[in-house]
Amino acid sequence: VKTLGEEVKSALPSVDGAEKLWRIKSALAAFEAEDYNKGWELSVDIQDADPRIQFCVGACYSRGVDGVSSNHQTAVCWLRKSAEQGYSEAQNMLGVFYRKGLGVAKDDAEAVRWFRKAAGQGCADAQVNLGAMYSGGRGVEKDDAEAVRWFRKAAEQGDASAQCGLGTMYLEGRGVTEDDAEAVRWYRKAAEQGDADAQKVLRERGLSWQATQ
């Protein structure tokens, strides 16, 4: 796996590589801290320098920041640039845009295609989304066993929504043998992370999810 420096050096001219590297690192730090306005200011003239920056620019156009109005079509353009370079977060978000019809014609099959690319790289959000598509038969033939497979991958990474989803599959015996104890185990994992749906299921069954309850 290339380091940030190696990635940037391979993509930028050496004459201004150091300055652009600093700008990229600073912009990414700002975006990670959810300071989108600062991130935008730092990245405004280096937006083609790195797929992670392109993803963040797409996110800015999606949500809108100071001086940048929300524009889903422009967001899609930037997300696609990043996604086509293999950045999993952009691939997942692009899938969401296709699923919801934001800035593009609604297309569940195309959403599945992008979710699958990101999920294959280990992106937990994409694994949950792909599992949901299989569970609901959206853009792909309904397949509960495949839904369980993707929910489990994300659940084992600690994703609360996947843990809740996996609990539901065990509770209803969809794609797995019905198993209340296993359902409760996964619901508790999700509930401990604050998942409201999992907490509701456990509460309705008279079960706790914290030692202090």
Side-chain angles (χ1 to χ4, degrees):
V1 178
K2 288 184 178 181
T3 65
L4 175 59
E6 290 170 338
E7 291 175 352
V8 173
K9 286 178 181 177
S10 66
L12 303 176
S14 59
V15 63
D16 56 2
E19 180 183 353
K20 283 193 176 181
L21 173 57
W22 178 85
R23 294 284 294 282
I24 289 170
K25 291 175 70 175
S26 299
L28 288 172
F31 284 127
E32 185 175 351
E34 299 186 2
D35 188 344
Y36 297 101
N37 295 322
K38 181 178 180 181
W40 178 268
E41 291 173 1
L42 287 167
S43 66
V44 69
D45 59 354
I46 57 167
Q47 293 175 350
D48 276 318
D50 187 279
R52 290 164 297 181
I53 293 290
Q54 293 166 347
F55 164 71
C56 292
V57 170
C60 284
Y61 275 111
S62 174
R63 66 187 295 134
V65 297
D66 286 351
V68 181
S69 299
S70 176
N71 186 317
H72 288 137
Q73 290 182 326
T74 303
V76 166
C77 290
W78 284 103
L79 292 173
R80 193 183 305 281
K81 285 186 178 185
S82 179
E84 288 177 346
Q85 294 179 72
Y87 190 55
S88 63
E89 295 295 331
Q91 291 170 339
N92 177 62
M93 185 175 280
L94 190 56
V96 171
F97 274 50
Y98 272 107
R99 184 183 65 192
K100 294 183 176 181
L102 299 174
V104 290
K106 187 174 181 180
D107 188 333
D108 284 346
E110 188 68 0
V112 166
R113 187 173 79 87
W114 286 109
F115 288 149
R116 193 183 306 282
K117 286 178 180 288
Q121 295 191 67
C123 176
D125 287 341
Q127 290 169 345
V128 175
N129 287 331
L130 186 55
M133 299 301 269
Y134 273 110
S135 176
R138 294 184 56 184
V140 68
E141 186 176 348
K142 182 178 172 65
D143 187 332
D144 286 341
E146 193 69 1
V148 166
R149 185 169 80 89
W150 288 108
F151 283 149
R152 191 183 304 281
K153 285 179 179 291
E156 289 175 347
Q157 292 191 64
D159 186 279
S161 61
Q163 291 168 344
C164 182
L166 190 55
T168 298
M169 300 304 270
Y170 273 107
L171 185 67
E172 298 177 357
R174 295 175 53 199
V176 288
T177 301
E178 186 176 329
D179 188 330
D180 283 2
E182 189 68 359
V184 167
R185 186 173 79 86
W186 285 109
Y187 278 135
R188 277 188 167 139
K189 286 179 179 290
E192 286 167 0
Q193 296 191 70
D195 187 279
D197 290 333
Q199 291 175 352
K200 181 174 182 291
V201 171
L202 292 172
R203 191 180 297 114
E204 289 173 347
R205 298 169 72 89
L207 300 172
S208 67
W209 58 89
Q210 294 177 337
T212 56
Q213 283 192 311

